[in-house]
Amino acid sequence: MQRIELDLHTHSVMSGHAYSTIQEMAEAARQKGLKHLGIAEHGPMIPGTCDPIYFRNLYVIPRYINGVRMWMGAEVNIVDYQGTLDLDDTYLARLDHVIAGLHRLCYTSGTMQQNTDAVMGAMHHPGVNIISHPADGTAELDLEELVKASARTCTLLEVNNSSLFPKRGNPVAHTLQTELLKLCKQYDTPVILGSDAHISYSVADYTYLYDLLKETEFPDELIVNYDAKRFFDFTGLTDVE
Ligand SMILES: [Zn+2]
Ligand SMILES: [Zn+2]
């Protein structure tokens, strides 16, 4: 199995429905040998998550904990068909990384074209680095269009381990994420694996994704988690404090 260097999509207690502190998450990352850990709390429209002021104060958090480089970002919500986000640019500019995604609680699914426009809008936002779980079935999307836009917009598409938890009972996510991987392979487009950990034990846990990677014979070189440099090269982010 390949060594995992980064997991940038995790949540701490501050998201309201997650169960570990930042220190606990960082310790789990150290134990798993990660170089980079991203904490990306849910944007303000998810019930129970932190207020916007939380995202303004992230500078107090050390960017190295136990030798792990910490990325303090957000998983913001795409809230309409133009791709409007639920945190404004002044907040986004202060974050280390920005993940944007569709969540049923904050987004009313439209036609495939409207949904695709919504995600495209977010991809074209210069501050957005990653689209979370585009293939989890939340809204019908033209995945091929998203894959084609990925390199052009320097925005990675995520395949998400949590979407495949058997208890979530979402077989569509299996089918769609397989389709997404096939398209990324076809277009030679890198992807990022996301644990979407809501507890420290799930940091960098990609258990359910490995079957899909095997099934699609997905090339290791297109997985940015296996080599952090690929992540920096693709997104244009730099590994400095
Ligand atoms: Zn999400
Ligand atoms: Zn998440």
Side-chain angles (χ1 to χ4, degrees):
M1 196 183 287
Q2 289 278 338
R3 185 180 162 197
I4 306 293
E5 292 196 346
L6 77 156
D7 185 9
L8 296 184
H9 184 176
T10 73
H11 300 270
S12 83
V13 279
M14 287 309 299
S15 276
H17 57 276
Y19 307 95
S20 300
T21 63
I22 289 168
Q23 281 167 281
E24 289 162 346
M25 300 296 279
E27 176 55 17
R30 184 194 65 78
Q31 285 174 12
K32 293 186 179 192
L34 293 192
K35 290 185 179 170
H36 304 268
L37 173 68
I39 308 271
E41 311 298 5
H42 283 288
M45 278 184 68
I46 293 283
T49 192
C50 31
D51 286 315
I53 191 173
Y54 172 91
F55 297 103
R56 297 179 61 124
N57 205 37
L58 290 172
Y59 63 85
V60 303
I61 296 173
R63 289 313 195 261
Y64 281 91
I65 303 180
N66 302 331
V68 177
R69 165 77 164 96
M70 301 297 293
W71 292 74
M72 300 307 302
E75 184 187 12
V76 296
N77 296 291
I78 299 169
V79 298
D80 61 23
Y81 305 142
Q82 286 75 51
T84 305
L85 307 172
D86 69 343
L87 257 190
D88 70 36
D89 289 355
T90 55
Y91 288 91
L92 296 182
R94 292 165 174 257
L95 300 174
D96 295 344
H97 71 306
V98 178
I99 304 173
L102 298 174
H103 296 98
R104 280 192 184 86
L105 288 164
C106 322
Y107 179 80
T108 306
S109 185
T111 62
M112 181 161 88
Q113 187 63 55
Q114 286 171 322
N115 300 332
T116 305
D117 288 347
V119 175
M120 284 286 206
M123 291 175 82
H124 280 92
H125 189 298
V128 172
N129 312 115
I130 299 167
I131 299 296
S132 53
H133 44 72
D136 70 348
T138 296
E140 198 188 355
L141 291 166
D142 186 337
L143 292 176
E144 189 165 7
E145 283 307 309
L146 301 186
V147 170
K148 287 200 275 190
S150 175
R152 193 167 74 230
T153 59
C154 306
T155 312
L156 284 159
L157 300 174
E158 177 199 68
V159 283
N160 183 289
N161 191 66
S162 290
S163 303
L164 301 176
F165 279 172
K167 283 204 170 144
R168 286 178 78 159
N170 184 1
V172 175
H174 184 281
T175 311
L176 291 175
Q177 295 206 105
T178 304
E179 188 189 327
L180 178 61
L181 286 171
K182 284 182 183 163
L183 286 164
C184 286
K185 186 177 165 186
Q186 180 188 335
Y187 286 96
D188 201 26
T189 299
V191 292
I192 186 162
L193 312 182
S195 70
D196 207 354
H198 283 64
I199 190 161
S200 58
Y201 308 107
S202 301
V203 167
D205 181 359
Y206 305 128
T207 306
Y208 300 115
L209 294 177
Y210 292 126
D211 287 347
L212 272 57
L213 296 172
K214 213 169 144 192
E215 237 172 88
T216 54
E217 296 177 345
F218 199 78
D220 286 348
E221 352 22 296
L222 291 182
I223 298 176
V224 300
N225 309 67
Y226 295 164
D227 180 354
K229 190 178 173 296
R230 288 179 202 146
F231 171 77
F232 300 123
D233 288 349
F234 191 89
T235 59
L237 288 172
T238 45
D239 181 19
V240 288
E241 277 179 68

Short mmCIF file of all heavy atoms in Angstrom, two decimals, residues 9 75 132-136 158-165 168 173 177 180 192-197 205-206 208-209 212:
data_model
loop_
_atom_site.label_atom_id
_atom_site.label_comp_id
_atom_site.label_asym_id
_atom_site.label_seq_id
_atom_site.Cartn_x
_atom_site.Cartn_y
_atom_site.Cartn_z
N HIS A 9 -9.17 16.90 4.41
CA HIS A 9 -10.62 17.05 4.66
C HIS A 9 -11.01 16.30 5.93
O HIS A 9 -11.34 15.11 5.89
CB HIS A 9 -11.40 16.54 3.45
CG HIS A 9 -12.89 16.75 3.58
ND1 HIS A 9 -13.77 16.44 2.57
CD2 HIS A 9 -13.64 17.23 4.59
CE1 HIS A 9 -15.00 16.73 2.96
NE2 HIS A 9 -14.95 17.20 4.19
N GLU A 75 -14.71 23.83 5.00
CA GLU A 75 -15.51 23.18 3.95
C GLU A 75 -16.77 24.02 3.81
O GLU A 75 -17.73 23.87 4.57
CB GLU A 75 -15.86 21.73 4.31
CG GLU A 75 -16.63 21.04 3.17
CD GLU A 75 -17.17 19.65 3.51
OE1 GLU A 75 -17.17 19.28 4.71
OE2 GLU A 75 -17.61 18.97 2.58
N SER A 132 -15.54 19.03 -2.48
CA SER A 132 -15.77 17.83 -1.67
C SER A 132 -16.89 16.97 -2.26
O SER A 132 -17.86 17.50 -2.80
CB SER A 132 -16.10 18.20 -0.22
OG SER A 132 -17.15 19.12 -0.15
N HIS A 133 -16.68 15.69 -2.18
CA HIS A 133 -17.65 14.65 -2.61
C HIS A 133 -18.58 15.03 -3.76
O HIS A 133 -19.80 14.98 -3.59
CB HIS A 133 -18.45 14.14 -1.40
CG HIS A 133 -18.94 15.23 -0.46
ND1 HIS A 133 -19.96 16.09 -0.77
CD2 HIS A 133 -18.56 15.58 0.78
CE1 HIS A 133 -20.18 16.92 0.22
NE2 HIS A 133 -19.33 16.63 1.19
N PRO A 134 -18.04 15.39 -4.92
CA PRO A 134 -18.93 15.72 -6.05
C PRO A 134 -19.72 14.51 -6.55
O PRO A 134 -20.72 14.69 -7.25
CB PRO A 134 -17.96 16.23 -7.13
CG PRO A 134 -16.66 15.59 -6.81
CD PRO A 134 -16.61 15.51 -5.30
N ALA A 135 -19.27 13.32 -6.18
CA ALA A 135 -19.93 12.11 -6.71
C ALA A 135 -20.62 11.32 -5.60
O ALA A 135 -20.63 10.10 -5.62
CB ALA A 135 -18.90 11.25 -7.45
N ASP A 136 -21.22 12.06 -4.65
CA ASP A 136 -21.93 11.34 -3.58
C ASP A 136 -23.42 11.27 -3.82
O ASP A 136 -24.17 10.75 -2.98
CB ASP A 136 -21.64 11.97 -2.20
CG ASP A 136 -22.29 13.35 -2.03
OD1 ASP A 136 -22.76 13.92 -3.04
OD2 ASP A 136 -22.33 13.84 -0.90
N GLU A 158 -12.65 15.58 -5.29
CA GLU A 158 -12.38 14.63 -4.21
C GLU A 158 -13.18 13.34 -4.41
O GLU A 158 -14.33 13.37 -4.82
CB GLU A 158 -12.78 15.27 -2.88
CG GLU A 158 -12.61 14.36 -1.68
CD GLU A 158 -13.43 14.81 -0.49
OE1 GLU A 158 -14.68 14.75 -0.56
OE2 GLU A 158 -12.83 15.23 0.51
N VAL A 159 -12.55 12.21 -4.08
CA VAL A 159 -13.31 10.99 -3.83
C VAL A 159 -13.31 10.80 -2.32
O VAL A 159 -12.28 10.97 -1.66
CB VAL A 159 -12.78 9.74 -4.60
CG1 VAL A 159 -13.20 9.78 -6.05
CG2 VAL A 159 -11.29 9.62 -4.49
N ASN A 160 -14.48 10.51 -1.79
CA ASN A 160 -14.73 10.68 -0.36
C ASN A 160 -15.03 9.34 0.31
O ASN A 160 -15.97 8.64 -0.08
CB ASN A 160 -15.91 11.66 -0.23
CG ASN A 160 -16.26 12.00 1.20
OD1 ASN A 160 -16.78 11.17 1.93
ND2 ASN A 160 -15.98 13.23 1.59
N ASN A 161 -14.21 9.02 1.30
CA ASN A 161 -14.38 7.73 1.98
C ASN A 161 -15.67 7.67 2.80
O ASN A 161 -16.36 6.66 2.80
CB ASN A 161 -13.17 7.47 2.89
CG ASN A 161 -13.16 6.04 3.41
OD1 ASN A 161 -13.00 5.09 2.63
ND2 ASN A 161 -13.37 5.86 4.70
N SER A 162 -16.01 8.76 3.47
CA SER A 162 -17.19 8.74 4.35
C SER A 162 -18.49 8.51 3.59
O SER A 162 -19.43 7.94 4.14
CB SER A 162 -17.29 10.05 5.13
OG SER A 162 -16.26 10.13 6.08
N SER A 163 -18.52 8.93 2.32
CA SER A 163 -19.74 8.71 1.52
C SER A 163 -20.03 7.23 1.35
O SER A 163 -21.15 6.85 1.01
CB SER A 163 -19.59 9.33 0.13
OG SER A 163 -19.31 10.69 0.21
N LEU A 164 -19.00 6.40 1.57
CA LEU A 164 -19.16 4.96 1.33
C LEU A 164 -19.39 4.17 2.63
O LEU A 164 -19.48 2.94 2.58
CB LEU A 164 -17.93 4.41 0.60
CG LEU A 164 -17.63 5.05 -0.76
CD1 LEU A 164 -16.34 4.50 -1.35
CD2 LEU A 164 -18.77 4.84 -1.74
N PHE A 165 -19.47 4.86 3.77
CA PHE A 165 -19.75 4.13 5.01
C PHE A 165 -21.01 3.30 4.82
O PHE A 165 -22.07 3.85 4.45
CB PHE A 165 -20.00 5.11 6.18
CG PHE A 165 -18.76 5.66 6.82
CD1 PHE A 165 -18.86 6.68 7.76
CD2 PHE A 165 -17.49 5.18 6.50
CE1 PHE A 165 -17.73 7.21 8.37
CE2 PHE A 165 -16.35 5.72 7.09
CZ PHE A 165 -16.48 6.72 8.03
N ARG A 168 -24.30 4.61 6.01
CA ARG A 168 -24.96 5.71 5.31
C ARG A 168 -25.85 5.21 4.20
O ARG A 168 -26.67 5.95 3.68
CB ARG A 168 -23.91 6.70 4.77
CG ARG A 168 -23.33 7.52 5.89
CD ARG A 168 -22.27 8.47 5.44
NE ARG A 168 -22.79 9.67 4.80
CZ ARG A 168 -22.07 10.79 4.71
NH1 ARG A 168 -20.85 10.85 5.22
NH2 ARG A 168 -22.56 11.84 4.11
N ALA A 173 -23.32 6.47 -4.28
CA ALA A 173 -21.99 7.05 -4.13
C ALA A 173 -20.91 6.09 -4.65
O ALA A 173 -19.89 6.53 -5.19
CB ALA A 173 -21.72 7.41 -2.68
N GLN A 177 -18.79 7.50 -7.73
CA GLN A 177 -17.36 7.74 -7.47
C GLN A 177 -16.51 6.84 -8.38
O GLN A 177 -15.42 7.24 -8.80
CB GLN A 177 -17.03 7.51 -5.99
CG GLN A 177 -17.73 8.54 -5.09
CD GLN A 177 -17.03 8.80 -3.77
OE1 GLN A 177 -16.40 9.84 -3.59
NE2 GLN A 177 -17.15 7.88 -2.83
N LEU A 180 -16.49 8.70 -11.56
CA LEU A 180 -15.58 9.85 -11.47
C LEU A 180 -14.12 9.41 -11.64
O LEU A 180 -13.35 10.05 -12.37
CB LEU A 180 -15.78 10.55 -10.12
CG LEU A 180 -14.86 11.75 -9.83
CD1 LEU A 180 -15.06 12.85 -10.87
CD2 LEU A 180 -15.10 12.30 -8.44
N ILE A 192 -8.03 13.91 -5.30
CA ILE A 192 -7.61 13.87 -3.91
C ILE A 192 -8.56 12.93 -3.16
O ILE A 192 -9.77 12.96 -3.38
CB ILE A 192 -7.57 15.29 -3.29
CG1 ILE A 192 -6.98 15.24 -1.87
CG2 ILE A 192 -8.94 15.98 -3.30
CD1 ILE A 192 -6.51 16.60 -1.35
N LEU A 193 -7.98 12.08 -2.32
CA LEU A 193 -8.79 11.22 -1.46
C LEU A 193 -9.12 12.03 -0.21
O LEU A 193 -8.24 12.69 0.36
CB LEU A 193 -8.03 9.95 -1.05
CG LEU A 193 -7.30 9.15 -2.13
CD1 LEU A 193 -6.66 7.90 -1.51
CD2 LEU A 193 -8.25 8.75 -3.27
N GLY A 194 -10.37 11.98 0.21
CA GLY A 194 -10.77 12.68 1.42
C GLY A 194 -11.32 11.69 2.42
O GLY A 194 -12.19 10.88 2.09
N SER A 195 -10.79 11.74 3.65
CA SER A 195 -11.37 10.85 4.67
C SER A 195 -12.68 11.44 5.16
O SER A 195 -13.60 10.72 5.50
CB SER A 195 -10.42 10.68 5.85
OG SER A 195 -10.33 11.88 6.60
N ASP A 196 -12.75 12.81 5.19
CA ASP A 196 -13.92 13.48 5.77
C ASP A 196 -14.12 12.98 7.21
O ASP A 196 -15.26 12.78 7.66
CB ASP A 196 -15.16 13.21 4.92
CG ASP A 196 -16.21 14.30 5.01
OD1 ASP A 196 -16.03 15.21 5.84
OD2 ASP A 196 -17.21 14.23 4.28
N ALA A 197 -12.98 12.78 7.89
CA ALA A 197 -13.03 12.23 9.25
C ALA A 197 -13.79 13.16 10.18
O ALA A 197 -13.53 14.37 10.21
CB ALA A 197 -11.61 12.03 9.77
N ASP A 205 -8.23 7.65 6.77
CA ASP A 205 -8.82 6.33 6.55
C ASP A 205 -9.52 6.33 5.18
O ASP A 205 -10.53 7.03 5.00
CB ASP A 205 -9.82 6.02 7.67
CG ASP A 205 -10.45 4.63 7.49
OD1 ASP A 205 -10.11 3.94 6.49
OD2 ASP A 205 -11.28 4.24 8.33
N TYR A 206 -8.98 5.57 4.27
CA TYR A 206 -9.54 5.50 2.92
C TYR A 206 -9.98 4.07 2.60
O TYR A 206 -10.01 3.66 1.43
CB TYR A 206 -8.51 5.98 1.88
CG TYR A 206 -7.98 7.37 2.17
CD1 TYR A 206 -6.61 7.62 2.22
CD2 TYR A 206 -8.84 8.44 2.37
CE1 TYR A 206 -6.13 8.90 2.48
CE2 TYR A 206 -8.37 9.71 2.63
CZ TYR A 206 -7.02 9.93 2.68
OH TYR A 206 -6.56 11.19 2.95
N TYR A 208 -12.65 2.36 2.30
CA TYR A 208 -13.67 2.00 1.29
C TYR A 208 -13.27 2.45 -0.11
O TYR A 208 -13.82 1.98 -1.10
CB TYR A 208 -15.02 2.60 1.68
CG TYR A 208 -15.50 2.09 3.01
CD1 TYR A 208 -15.64 2.93 4.11
CD2 TYR A 208 -15.78 0.73 3.18
CE1 TYR A 208 -16.07 2.44 5.33
CE2 TYR A 208 -16.19 0.24 4.41
CZ TYR A 208 -16.33 1.10 5.48
OH TYR A 208 -16.73 0.61 6.70
N LEU A 209 -12.32 3.38 -0.17
CA LEU A 209 -11.92 3.87 -1.50
C LEU A 209 -10.96 2.92 -2.20
O LEU A 209 -10.90 2.89 -3.43
CB LEU A 209 -11.27 5.25 -1.37
CG LEU A 209 -12.19 6.38 -0.90
CD1 LEU A 209 -11.40 7.67 -0.74
CD2 LEU A 209 -13.35 6.57 -1.87
N LEU A 212 -12.44 0.83 -4.89
CA LEU A 212 -12.76 1.57 -6.12
C LEU A 212 -11.50 1.83 -6.94
O LEU A 212 -11.51 1.76 -8.17
CB LEU A 212 -13.40 2.92 -5.77
CG LEU A 212 -14.91 2.98 -5.58
CD1 LEU A 212 -15.39 2.03 -4.53
CD2 LEU A 212 -15.36 4.40 -5.27
#
